[in-house]
Amino acid sequence: SSGINAEYGDITDGDNVRGFAAAAGVADSEALLEFSRGPEARQQLIDNTTEALESKCFGAPWYVVTNPATGRREKFFGHDRVEMLGWVIGKEYKGHNLPQV
């Protein structure tokens, strides 16, 4: 994958990552960027990919969340399902607003 998103640009570009992090309220975008390039992040990616495959993931984005009321793990596919994910965890989805960089 190229890391290029038609709407938001190259998500592998450091300046874009800094912009996204700042818009999300991340206090230290440099630390986030450094972490993302290290072995811990790589292992987390491997672990997450393994979990996704074990949960029968069939696309991206793929979310697996635990319903706090029931303890049941719920699976969601697609960015258009984030509102439903919010219902499961008891949070209101207010939409997304990624920065234009």
Side-chain angles (χ1 to χ4, degrees), residues 65-88:
V65 297
T66 301
N67 183 320
T70 65
R72 181 175 168 207
R73 291 174 55 87
E74 307 275 351
K75 302 170 190 174
F76 299 91
F77 164 66
H79 69 278
D80 57 334
R81 301 294 190 263
V82 174
E83 185 173 9
M84 291 188 322
L85 186 152
W87 297 338
V88 169

Side-chain angles (χ1 to χ4, degrees), residues 9-31:
D10 183 349
I11 62 171
T12 66
D13 178 80
D15 288 336
N16 286 348
V17 172
R18 286 181 197 91
F20 298 141
V26 174
D28 189 348
S29 61
E30 287 301 321

